[in-house]
Amino acid sequence: MSPDMFLGLTEGFCFAALRDPMAMERTNLLNMAKLSIKGLIESALSFGRTLDSDYPPLQQFFVVMEHCLKHGLKVKKSFLGYNKSLWGPLELVEKLCPEAAEISASVRDLPGLKTPLGRARAWLRLALMQKRLADYLRLLITRKDLLSDFYETSALMLEEEGAVIVGLLVGLNVIDANLCVKGEDLDSQVGVIDFSMYLKNDIDDYRSEESQIASILDQKNYVEELNRQLNSTVHGLQGRVDNLEKSNSKLIEELAIAKNNIIKLQEENQQLRSENNLILLKRDTYKQSRQGLDEMYNEARRQLKEECQLRQDVENELVVQVSMKQEMELAMKLLEKDIHEKQDTLIGLRNQLDEVKAINVEMYQKMQSSNEEMKKKNDVISRLEEKTNQITATMKQLEQSDKDLLSQTRTLAMSFVKCASTDTEHQYKLVKDISF
């Protein structure tokens, strides 16, 4: 790639990043990852010994990797609120690569880790010490169907920048790291990028640009090498398939040739029998020449033995070819049987799924009908309660009016008794009748 083409692609990529904030963030994180990995490798090579946890470029590398892995991470709701956890996607690595199960088990067994973020930080450190960080993350970014559950569609891990960063991580295999994860407080660490470590003059920027171009070319060569290996593997498999087809056709041709040989041998045997009969007929004629007859008999016997041996060899070869053909036919039948069984199982599962769907639809309809009936009954009950309340209120009014009427009657009776001119006994009876 020429420098003009590279500058054109860079300008186009930067223009696209200006229009898309997520693309700008991915570009910035990619540049920071390049600076961090390059600085770590150069400082480690000049340092000349095993790195530990207190080494500043190594600490900044983990901070930058944490920001790269957090980019576009989906927010998940939990009992304590909303959080973003790196441990979820990193925990998938042990499913894709059984060798990573040891690291995940070690992280889970650490007693000082209480948060998913702390476990993710410990996992990154253990993977770096194992020199398998690039391999694990490369397996992870190839399964975008699994990462889509944890990342947004424009996240760094789902775009080309993630593949570039994974390619850069391969260079970290040249350094050795001895990190003490057990005694380190990884839960409460604050990941802040120190940009002062990466600020350099214009000459260094020009050199870094050249190194970026060289790293891009190296990554291109690496991808081309992988593509070449995959193509060679595909060609090898195709060659094996072609060889199998050729061997099958060759076996069929050999079987046809063997059949033709058997037919020819049978014809020759018949011819030999006819010749033997002719010899037997001529035997009486050559009785006087016993020596000639013996020689003829011995020659015929020798030819007969040779023909019998040849026939036996051909029959043995035919048996071998027939057995091979039977084995091939049996293998084909077993394969067809397996395919039919799987198809029947798939059909049965589809039928079960349709039945479950029908049952769900029926239950849903019944539930809707029962809800409607329940609503109707509740309306009837509410109307009956209203009528009951009205009747109760009416009865209370009637009782009150009855009491008022009784008190008025008694008052009128007493006044009537006072005004009457009859005797005392009659007044007493009248008042008693009115009172009761």
Side-chain angles (χ1 to χ4, degrees), residues 254-272 307 310-311 314-315 318:
E254 290 178 354
L255 182 61
I257 293 169
K259 289 181 179 180
N260 294 327
N261 291 331
I262 290 171
I263 294 172
K264 290 180 180 179
L265 289 174
Q266 289 176 354
E267 292 177 353
E268 290 178 358
N269 191 10
Q270 186 68 30
Q271 186 177 358
L272 288 173
E307 295 297 334
L310 181 61
R311 179 181 178 183
V314 173
E315 288 179 354
L318 179 61

Side-chain angles (χ1 to χ4, degrees), residues 2-48:
S2 64
D4 295 335
M5 293 176 65
F6 180 76
L7 290 175
L9 290 174
T10 307
E11 291 177 356
F13 187 73
C14 293
F15 181 72
L18 290 175
R19 293 187 298 175
D20 187 5
M22 294 291 287
M24 185 181 296
E25 293 176 2
R26 293 197 302 270
T27 305
N28 294 333
L29 289 173
L30 176 60
N31 293 328
M32 287 305 304
K34 290 179 180 178
L35 293 174
S36 176
I37 295 171
K38 179 184 176 184
L40 179 59
I41 294 174
E42 292 178 352
S43 60
L45 294 177
S46 62
F47 203 49

Side-chain angles (χ1 to χ4, degrees), residues 52 58 105 112 192 279 307 337 352 366:
D52 54 9
L58 185 60
V192 179
I279 291 171
E307 295 297 334
K337 182 179 179 181
Q352 292 178 2
K366 289 182 179 180

